[in-house]
Amino acid sequence: MRQFFRGKIGKIVLATGLVFAAIALCVWLGSRQRLLPQHYVQLTLDGMRGGSIYALMALGFVVVYRVTGVINFAQGEFVMLGAMLCLTIHKLPLPLPPALKLIVAIIAAIVLATLIGAAVERLTIHPARRSPPVTLTIITVGVTITLRAGALLAWGADPYVLPAFSTLALEDHIFRFGSVILQAQTLWIWGTLIVVLVLLYFFLEHTIMGKALRACAVNQRGAQLVGINPGRMSMLSFALAAALGAIGGIVLGPVTRPIYDMGLMLGLKGFVAAIMGGLVSVPGAVVGGLLLGVTENLAAGVTNPTYKSVFAFVILIAILLFRPQGILGGTGQATEEVK
Amino acid sequence: MKALWARRNLVNVIAFTVVLAALGAVDIFRPFGLSFSALTGRVVTLDTMIRIGILTIVVVGLNLLMGYAGQVSLGQAGFYALGAYFSGILSTLATRHTILPGITGLWWWPWLMIVVSMILTGGFAYLVGKPILRLKGNYLAMATLGLGVIIHILAGQFPDITGGYDGLTGVPRLSIGSFTLWPMQRYYFLVWGAAIAVIVISLSLVDSRIGRALRAVHTSEVAAEASGVDAEQYKVQALVLSAIFASLAGSLYAHFQGAVSPSPFSFRASVELVVMAAVGGLASTWGAPFGVGLIYVVRDLLKSQLERLLNVRSGEYELIVYGIILVSIMIFMPEGLTASSVQFMQGRRRRHGNIEPQRVQSNGTVEDLGQ
């Protein structure tokens, strides 16, 4: 029996069983709250919206981790910067039609956040590049504190609003399917995730710079031997992570109310998503993000919304303990000696 | 080995104790109208000193875990919270619901509950530590991070037991018989007495068989296991001990504040504890009080000075400078303040040619190369 569950088929049987048990538990808890099928659809859709943001952030974590071995705690702050810079530029009295103004604001915010990301790497990670990864991780914590306090100084402690992309106003289009509600902004978020993934694929697979980045992730010394500068790749990875984070923050802006400390929880959740994907794989990060969003939203929906974050971190610990290589597989890393 | 410990560390411990006792005595007897905060130019008040003492206890434990055993914990505030909450709940709820009437009002009840909290927290750390410590490096840090965040969120959830987000109030003052350990001047001696006891325990552990085993595990787990060290067992023990220290500090905090709420035990608190340990110097027990003290003083100074300069009130603007200082320390003194200043002093003295060449090891101790 034990042997069976160690084997490949046994593991699939076990995983399927667990998934069905989880669904059954979910339905049982939901029936106690008198949830109808459309409620589950709604919870799943909302979960996929949040999950897309987690996926964008998880991509940022994966890019930085693979190239530098650093867990970049500042990832959440890039999301905040993206949203805040975008709405600030959007509020400037530029003589442009509203739609163009929003587009200009979005592009300018992404560019600025990318530059900030590169600057962060140059100023903090690069001078300490010979330190162990734990020291570098603590440095990113310091960066997080500084950026958040800077945002508080620049934007104050009040939440802001960003107009919805479709209507350019605070009210968004709402699609109704029976009693299921879908905001137009949700479609923008999903569309953005898809576009970003396609662009990222082309960048990593079909440009010299992207290939150099991948080479650096696979073997830094080998990459150096063929003439790739790891320092520059480290900067590129931070810039890329900052851009991904900023894009996430901008598309999320209209559905939340951007505030200076929004990055903290988002950053931690994005990290959980990255761990679910194994921390080293791009598809894993996307699947992890979506799965985390849906799972935590369903779990919170059938029990109590205040426990939403608890579920995310319970998932984190469970994944680390039972499947450190991530849900998509690959070889385990977490219990090997990493130096 | 024992004799060596006695000579080198005993002097340090006694000097440290005498200085702290003298500082505490100043505030009680007030010679020439001097008080503690006047002595330090109003930068460090007695209140700050007590908080530094409480956090020193947590950081000494964290140092054993991170610096010696090499296991990063980003959830230490969780254990600190458990201590505070267990102590707070056990010493107030029993009285409120008149469970065991006649006993809960006695002076030794809160003391007993501090010990019970330490046992409960240690037991929890043992249960959690077994599976979690299989993870390494960043993964372990993240698992402990998750644990800390879960404890923090749950602490704000059950209004009947933990008081929800508003927290518990009415945690009683500690007393010995009819001698109440309050006002602050008396509590100061309790806190720093406990801190020094914890430092002594840590110092003797580090120089013992266990300390050597932990350092072996830190250097290479495989090599340690190959030479007969049960790495898993030692790592779990280090985690349990650090959790017990954190619990003690939490209990002292609860009885100091008279109230417990979830906000001081957030993820940020865990990060700050790691920063304090890192600034003081990982693998240096004496770094703990200095790391905590430095962070506290710098932050208080920044807060008061920035408020004066920018003419703003409230807000957390001082965190900008605080973050920059943290990053600079990590970049320029990754070994922490104590090791870096020791290196600096030796570098200077060596240039003057009156000292044998020495080497500061990665664990902060100084090795004589002249012999």
Side-chain angles (χ1 to χ4, degrees):
Chain A
M1 200 64 188
R2 233 192 145 91
Q3 280 294 313
F4 175 70
F5 285 120
R6 291 266 164 86
K8 191 162 188 182
I9 302 171
K11 273 187 179 167
I12 293 173
V13 171
L14 194 65
T16 324
L18 280 175
V19 168
F20 273 108
I23 292 174
L25 184 69
C26 196
V27 170
W28 178 68
L29 284 169
S31 68
R32 293 181 59 190
Q33 304 222 2
R34 297 199 177 73
L35 290 190
L36 299 170
Q38 57 263 39
H39 289 128
Y40 291 108
V41 176
Q42 184 73 58
L43 285 172
T44 310
L45 286 177
D46 289 346
M48 280 177 72
R49 183 178 75 192
S52 305
I53 305 295
Y54 299 157
L56 282 171
M57 306 203 47
L59 287 173
F61 275 112
V62 168
V63 168
V64 170
Y65 183 76
R66 285 211 60 174
V67 176
T68 64
V70 176
I71 290 189
N72 175 24
F73 271 101
Q75 188 63 32
E77 303 316 307
F78 293 143
V79 174
M80 178 272 294
L81 281 177
M84 288 305 208
L85 288 170
C86 182
L87 61 87
T88 309
I89 299 166
H90 185 254
K91 267 197 298 191
L92 292 178
L94 296 175
L96 292 172
L100 196 59
K101 199 163 136 183
L102 186 65
I103 293 170
V104 167
I106 289 171
I107 292 170
I110 294 172
V111 170
L112 276 177
T114 310
L115 290 177
I116 293 174
V120 161
E121 198 277 341
R122 276 298 104 164
L123 291 174
T124 63
I125 300 296
H126 188 71
R129 61 193 177 282
R130 301 199 200 292
S131 306
V134 174
T135 308
L136 296 176
T137 302
I138 296 178
I139 288 178
T140 67
V141 173
V143 172
T144 307
I145 295 172
T146 313
L147 287 179
R148 197 178 310 146
L152 177 65
L153 195 61
W155 288 291
D158 298 320
Y160 286 79
V161 285
L162 195 63
F165 292 180
S166 320
T167 55
L168 299 172
L170 297 184
E171 299 293 316
D172 199 0
H173 284 307
I174 288 175
F175 302 106
R176 286 175 197 281
F177 305 97
S179 61
V180 177
I181 294 169
L182 189 64
Q183 285 179 329
Q185 189 64 29
T186 309
L187 298 178
W188 278 101
I189 291 176
W190 292 339
T192 307
L193 178 64
I194 292 166
V195 170
V196 164
L197 283 176
V198 171
L199 287 178
L200 197 64
Y201 173 79
F202 270 99
F203 174 70
L204 290 177
E205 299 286 330
H206 294 286
T207 63
I208 289 291
M209 218 195 242
K211 284 178 183 170
L213 197 70
R214 273 170 52 219
C216 219
V218 174
N219 184 335
Q220 207 166 82
R221 186 156 305 164
Q224 207 166 0
L225 282 174
V226 295
I228 297 166
N229 181 349
R232 191 164 298 167
M233 289 304 123
S234 163
M235 182 168 81
L236 180 63
S237 71
F238 269 80
L240 195 56
L244 289 167
I247 293 171
I250 292 167
V251 290
L252 183 69
V255 285
T256 56
R257 313 242 293 144
I259 185 168
Y260 80 99
D261 66 353
M262 68 190 276
L264 179 65
M265 250 314 157
L266 276 175
L268 293 179
K269 297 272 184 71
F271 179 75
V272 176
I275 286 281
M276 286 175 79
L279 200 51
V280 288
S281 114
V282 168
V286 177
V287 175
L290 292 173
L291 204 59
L292 174 69
V294 172
T295 317
E296 73 163 6
N297 219 37
L298 276 176
V302 296
T303 54
N304 183 340
T306 45
Y307 295 138
K308 192 168 165 180
S309 299
V310 175
F311 289 117
F313 291 100
V314 169
I315 293 172
L316 167 72
I317 293 177
I319 292 277
L320 283 172
L321 290 182
F322 301 113
R323 219 165 153 74
Q325 69 270 44
I327 36 179
L328 287 193
T331 50
Q333 256 207 345
T335 48
E336 278 168 26
E337 195 142 355
V338 187
K339 277 284 162 184
Chain B
M1 209 61 213
K2 263 286 175 257
L4 217 159
W5 188 93
R7 211 171 306 148
R8 197 181 62 203
N9 287 334
L10 206 63
V11 177
N12 288 346
V13 170
I14 290 173
F16 193 67
T17 314
V18 167
V19 169
L20 283 170
L23 286 174
V26 164
D27 228 65
I28 291 185
F29 299 113
R30 308 242 162 173
F32 317 111
L34 279 173
S35 74
F36 192 91
S37 60
L39 261 184
T40 54
R42 296 190 187 286
V43 173
V44 185
T45 58
L46 198 66
D47 182 86
T48 316
M49 271 311 273
I50 291 175
R51 285 165 199 279
I52 292 174
I54 290 174
L55 286 189
T56 296
I57 299 174
V58 189
V59 174
V60 166
L62 192 58
N63 223 324
L64 273 177
L65 185 65
M66 279 178 61
Y68 291 99
Q71 310 299 313
V72 181
S73 165
L74 276 175
Q76 208 66 9
F79 296 126
Y80 183 40
L82 284 182
Y85 269 100
F86 280 140
S87 231
I89 291 168
L90 293 172
S91 59
T92 58
L93 276 197
T95 320
R96 201 179 305 154
H97 295 291
T98 56
I99 303 161
L100 301 175
I103 295 180
T104 53
L106 295 177
W107 66 269
W108 48 263
W109 176 258
W111 295 96
L112 183 67
M113 289 306 110
I114 291 180
V115 177
V116 170
S117 314
M118 283 159 74
I119 294 169
L120 286 174
T121 311
F124 176 75
Y126 182 79
L127 289 180
V128 175
K130 275 258 164 178
I132 268 190
L133 285 168
R134 281 193 331 216
L135 303 168
K136 303 274 185 297
N138 279 329
Y139 290 84
L140 175 66
M142 296 313 138
T144 52
L145 179 158
L147 196 66
V149 175
I150 291 173
I151 293 175
H152 175 236
I153 296 175
L154 289 183
Q157 291 305 332
F158 306 99
D160 299 335
I161 304 169
T162 64
Y165 282 105
D166 301 328
L168 286 168
T169 50
V171 182
R173 299 280 172 221
L174 291 171
S175 58
I176 303 169
S178 59
F179 182 77
T180 314
L181 288 170
W182 198 258
M184 265 193 249
Q185 281 83 350
R186 294 180 185 168
Y187 205 71
Y188 170 90
F189 284 95
L190 173 69
V191 166
W192 278 102
I196 289 169
V198 163
I199 289 175
V200 168
I201 292 173
S202 169
L203 284 173
S204 30
L205 263 184
V206 166
D207 272 351
S208 73
R209 184 189 169 80
I210 300 170
R212 288 192 294 277
L214 288 179
R215 262 172 286 172
V217 170
H218 188 179
T219 317
S220 165
E221 223 162 279
V222 178
E225 295 240 324
S227 23
V229 174
D230 186 350
E232 193 194 344
Q233 195 60 30
Y234 278 107
K235 287 196 292 185
V236 173
Q237 282 173 3
L239 180 75
V240 169
L241 191 64
S242 78
I244 289 175
F245 285 171
S247 167
L248 170 66
S251 302
L252 289 174
Y253 173 82
H255 289 287
F256 172 62
Q257 287 282 320
V260 192
S261 71
S263 56
F265 308 110
S266 61
F267 169 60
R268 207 180 112 187
S270 286
V271 168
E272 245 173 38
L273 288 170
V274 172
V275 169
M276 286 166 173
V279 166
L282 291 174
S284 123
T285 305
W286 285 112
F290 295 104
V292 179
L294 188 86
I295 294 282
Y296 253 96
V297 170
V298 165
R299 215 178 32 196
D300 286 357
L301 267 182
L302 283 174
K303 198 174 178 68
S304 56
Q305 293 307 309
L306 282 185
E307 273 177 15
R308 208 169 53 99
L309 283 175
L310 298 177
N311 205 9
V312 285
R313 286 173 64 80
S314 81
E316 295 175 343
Y317 306 118
E318 80 276 8
L319 287 178
I320 299 181
V321 188
Y322 171 68
I324 293 172
I325 291 176
L326 165 61
V327 171
S328 324
I329 288 179
M330 284 293 109
I331 292 175
F332 299 113
M333 304 180 184
E335 302 259 311
L337 274 183
T338 39
S340 295
S341 42
V342 167
Q343 268 168 341
F344 178 71
M345 301 274 280
Q346 277 165 359
R348 277 179 54 137
R349 278 194 282 170
R350 199 171 305 153
R351 245 178 285 135
H352 292 294
N354 57 4
I355 191 170
E356 294 288 319
Q358 288 181 328
R359 187 171 73 201
V360 175
Q361 293 180 329
S362 59
N363 60 17
T365 57
V366 177
E367 185 189 32
D368 226 332
L369 294 179
Q371 295 163 356

